[in-house]
Amino acid sequence: MPESFAPGLRRAGWLAGLPALALIWVSATLYAAPQIADRLEAEGATVAAGTATATGEPWLRLEARGRDLLAAGEAPDVGERETVLSRLAGLDGPHRIVSEVGIVETAAPFQWAAIRSGPNRIALEGSRPVEIGRRALEARISGALNPGTTLGDTARAARGAPPDFPSAAAFLAARLSGLAKGGRAALSDTVLSLSGEALDMPAYEALRASLSDPPAGFSIGRIEIVPPVVPDYRFVVEKTARGIGLDGFAPTASDREAALRAATEAAAGGTVDDHLLAARGLDPAIDPKGLIAFAFRLAELIQSGRVAFADGAISVTGDAIDGQAIPDAEALMRDARPAGIKAGTVSLTARPLSPYRVVIRRTADSVTLTGHLPDTATRERVLDALRPRLFREPVVDRTRLAEGAPPDLGAALAAAAPLVTSPASGEIAVSDRALTLTGESLYRETASRAPERLAEALPPGWTGQAAVSARQAPERRDPETCRADFAAAVAGADLRFPAGSPVLAPSFYPTLDALAAVAKACPALRIAVSGTADPAKPKAPAAAAGAEARPDAVEPARIASSAKPDLAAKPDSAATPTPQDKAKDKTKDSGKDSGKTTKGPAGKEAAKPGKPAAKKPAETADEPPPDLPRLRAQAVIEYLLQAGARPEQVSVGPDGPAGPVLVALLP
């Protein structure tokens, strides 16, 4: 063979030998390396066994990596660490000792965490109690996990762990079974926290329920569990005769609470059937609380039916509360939908109301009408029956118009209206032709007479039931204190009516409230109220002189605190009016009934004369009523009665001279 071919043959020979070399290397790696690692760990096992602690577990952990030996763990002190590393260095097998040995320290705060790093794997990190062996703690934690779950433990031994740490660690690790990858359960001293996304809705509910019962000695800290995402997000409000039903989802706990509050209010004493689950999936452009509020606005317009949000659109179906509700629902759907919500169907049916209901409720602050009335004329009739009997309480009308009312509903409500304005608080509830009166009266006599008065007021064919209770007796004061309190109540008062008017001025209210409070605490107190006329006009001096010459004239003063002999003999017009008084009162009431209303303090309403039926002649248009002093006295007395004074405690005194109203104590 020529020599020119020799170098090529030599190169080909080397190439032919490479597969054999690779086979030799793989054989050494697959078979020899594990044997070397086992031999290295076996050589170091004696050293590791010598580091056993009181728990029986050695603190030194060894792992062979090729011909290197990795040493890990936490030595009790520096001296023992150096001793162990020196012994390992003296072994024949290891090529190198890689030390990750630390020193046991005190952790403050003591922190530990378990993290779901995979479907069947949990990573442990932070600090573990030095008093507990690693394998013992892992066994305790594994018992709380699903079978087949493995642990990756990098926690380091430390001092300062809280008592019963293993129970808290097992409790936290068990919560991870309901969380997706990335879920974290952590401990900081005695405070437990949890975060992550729930696997599904049952897991979310179970997690929140389990956190209500932490291990003894530990408390729940920050909880950030995110509900799962659902593809078919929906929210449903169903209204029945029994109450309100909720179904679907709510993104957060606060959203669910908002829905429950709205349902409780809408149920009005009925049941709330809650089937809401926590879940995400609502379009980010939609505000959850705005969706909930809008759904309940639509639900207010139905007697029975459902409001449903699904596939991004909201719909309402069922029986409307009245015919007016159908266009109202269409207007809401058209003009008031929150951003991001599409308009669905409005499928409502108006049926005759059965039963036909209306409620008049009086509180300390207002009188409120709710329910239905047949027409605006009936509404105005009821309002006209209420307003003249209220001094400061506004009348809030929330009624709606609907067919199906009894033909004499307006007459029944107008006749019963005085019965709800007399008690301190009360309610008239009408259902078809049945009327129920409930409330609390300031006086036992008024409460006991309520059934009789109700029976007299109702039109034929109506049934009535009254349940009015009396308040407990108020405090009682001795006579001397009563007189002193009376003087203090009226000190500095200037009860001066506007010219030509019998309407109380707002400045009267504090003084009259104080007088009523004294009257309630002093049952024996007797008060006389003397109305006054306006000052005489300059063109009629004779009339003024005649008034000054009257034998029963009283020295002008804001308050007369001494009794007048002729006052005691005058009939108690507030309690037992004479026929002449009734005639005058009828004239006064007719003026009230045709009147408008004027606002008192804080928006309160008081009676105010309205426009006359026919225009007065020009020469008499500005003249005051002929019995103006008496009308003014009656206005003050009626206010005191409404504020709690007893009828037998107040009476009309003789007319006073021009100026402020006179108030006097009777013997």
Side-chain angles (χ1 to χ4, degrees), residues 495 497 530-534 628-630 632-633 655-662:
L495 307 182
F497 278 87
S530 296
T532 58
D534 290 337
L628 185 60
R630 182 173 181 81
R632 288 173 170 174
D655 294 348
V661 169
L662 303 175

Side-chain angles (χ1 to χ4, degrees), residues 633-647:
Q634 289 287 4
V636 172
I637 290 174
E638 189 171 354
Y639 184 100
L640 292 174
L641 294 176
Q642 293 279 3
R646 297 187 178 187

Side-chain angles (χ1 to χ4, degrees), residues 52-136:
T53 62
T55 64
E57 294 184 22
W59 60 261
L60 179 63
R61 302 187 303 278
L62 298 174
E63 180 183 353
R65 295 181 178 176
R67 296 202 58 175
D68 294 338
L69 193 61
L70 175 66
E74 293 75 41
D77 51 52
V78 175
E80 186 166 348
R81 179 176 63 180
E82 296 302 324
T83 299
V84 167
L85 292 178
S86 177
R87 293 180 61 189
L88 291 174
L91 298 176
D92 293 335
H95 175 265
R96 183 178 58 167
I97 304 299
V98 180
S99 175
E100 293 184 0
V101 177
I103 304 298
V104 175
E105 298 177 351
T106 299
F110 196 95
Q111 296 180 330
W112 176 88
I115 304 168
R116 177 169 290 282
S117 55
N120 296 307
R121 185 168 179 81
I122 302 295
L124 307 180
E125 62 181 30
S127 301
R128 64 174 178 83
V130 68
E131 302 86 3
I132 303 172
R134 179 182 298 272
R135 286 193 289 271

Side-chain angles (χ1 to χ4, degrees), residues 386-405:
L386 288 169
R387 286 172 177 151
R389 295 171 172 82
L390 302 170
F391 279 98
R392 295 186 297 173
E393 301 90 336
V395 179
V396 181
D397 178 25
R398 293 177 180 163
T399 57
R400 299 173 60 88
L401 302 183
E403 298 179 355

Side-chain angles (χ1 to χ4, degrees), residues 210-271:
S210 66
L211 294 175
S212 63
D213 187 22
F218 292 85
S219 61
I220 300 299
R222 192 170 185 176
I223 302 300
E224 296 178 335
I225 304 174
V226 180
V229 176
V230 294
D232 57 340
Y233 189 95
R234 67 187 189 281
F235 178 75
V236 178
V237 178
E238 187 162 4
K239 198 170 186 181
T240 65
R242 294 177 54 252
I244 299 292
L246 296 176
D247 197 5
F249 308 109
T252 66
S254 65
D255 295 327
R256 181 176 180 179
E257 291 170 1
L260 288 174
R261 285 195 301 270
T264 302
E265 182 178 349
T271 61

Side-chain angles (χ1 to χ4, degrees), residues 107-181:
F110 196 95
Q111 296 180 330
W112 176 88
I115 304 168
R116 177 169 290 282
S117 55
N120 296 307
R121 185 168 179 81
I122 302 295
L124 307 180
E125 62 181 30
S127 301
R128 64 174 178 83
V130 68
E131 302 86 3
I132 303 172
R134 179 182 298 272
R135 286 193 289 271
L137 181 59
E138 290 178 352
R140 180 72 178 273
I141 294 172
S142 296
L145 299 173
N146 294 329
T149 303
T150 60
L151 298 177
D153 190 0
T154 61
R156 303 176 67 88
R159 300 183 183 89
D164 203 12
F165 174 91
S167 296
F171 174 84
L172 287 173
R175 308 285 80 78
L176 293 177
S177 61
L179 295 178
K181 183 179 178 180

Side-chain angles (χ1 to χ4, degrees), residues 258-543:
L260 288 174
R261 285 195 301 270
T264 302
E265 182 178 349
T271 61
V272 175
D273 193 11
D274 175 27
H275 293 286
L276 284 178
L277 296 175
R280 294 176 295 150
L282 182 65
D283 186 342
I286 300 175
D287 174 28
K289 291 183 174 60
L291 167 62
I292 292 168
F294 184 69
F296 276 97
R297 288 185 68 183
L298 290 173
E300 290 176 357
L301 301 176
I302 58 176
Q303 295 186 67
S304 61
R306 58 191 277 132
V307 178
F309 172 82
D311 299 326
I314 192 165
S315 303
V316 55
T317 59
D319 294 333
I321 56 174
D322 50 45
Q324 181 183 340
I326 298 177
D328 287 351
E330 293 172 345
L332 280 177
M333 192 71 76
R334 182 182 62 249
D335 304 327
R337 281 180 294 110
I341 299 177
K342 294 181 291 186
T345 59
V346 176
S347 180
L348 297 177
T349 303
R351 298 182 179 181
L353 298 185
S354 181
Y356 200 95
R357 292 191 174 97
V358 61
V359 174
I360 305 176
R361 181 178 294 109
R362 182 190 181 167
T363 65
D365 300 321
S366 63
V367 175
T368 305
L369 279 71
T370 57
H372 290 87
L373 293 172
D375 47 49
T376 55
T378 303
R379 176 183 287 163
E380 290 303 319
R381 182 176 183 182
V382 175
L383 294 176
D384 289 343
L386 288 169
R387 286 172 177 151
R389 295 171 172 82
L390 302 170
F391 279 98
R392 295 186 297 173
E393 301 90 336
V395 179
V396 181
D397 178 25
R398 293 177 180 163
T399 57
R400 299 173 60 88
L401 302 183
E403 298 179 355
D408 48 1
L409 176 64
L413 290 174
L419 302 181
V420 79
T421 59
S422 298
S425 62
E427 177 180 291
I428 287 177
V430 171
S431 178
D432 289 335
R433 285 195 170 190
L435 188 148
T436 302
L437 170 66
T438 58
E440 183 183 51
S441 174
L442 297 172
Y443 312 112
R444 190 174 303 278
E445 296 82 0
T446 303
S448 62
R449 289 180 55 203
E452 178 184 350
R453 295 181 61 194
L454 178 61
E456 295 173 353
L458 290 179
W462 282 70
T463 61
Q465 183 177 0
V468 179
S469 61
R471 283 186 180 177
Q472 295 181 351
E475 62 170 317
R476 294 292 182 260
R477 306 175 189 173
D478 60 84
E480 184 177 351
T481 302
C482 290
R483 288 190 293 271
D485 291 345
F486 173 85
V490 299
D494 188 6
L495 307 182
R496 194 182 300 270
F497 278 87
S501 172
V503 178
L504 299 177
S507 59
F508 285 28
Y509 300 148
T511 299
L512 298 184
D513 286 340
L515 281 173
V518 174
K520 287 188 288 185
C522 304
L525 201 67
R526 298 293 182 269
I527 301 172
V529 180
S530 296
T532 58
D534 290 337
K537 296 182 180 179
K539 63 181 180 180

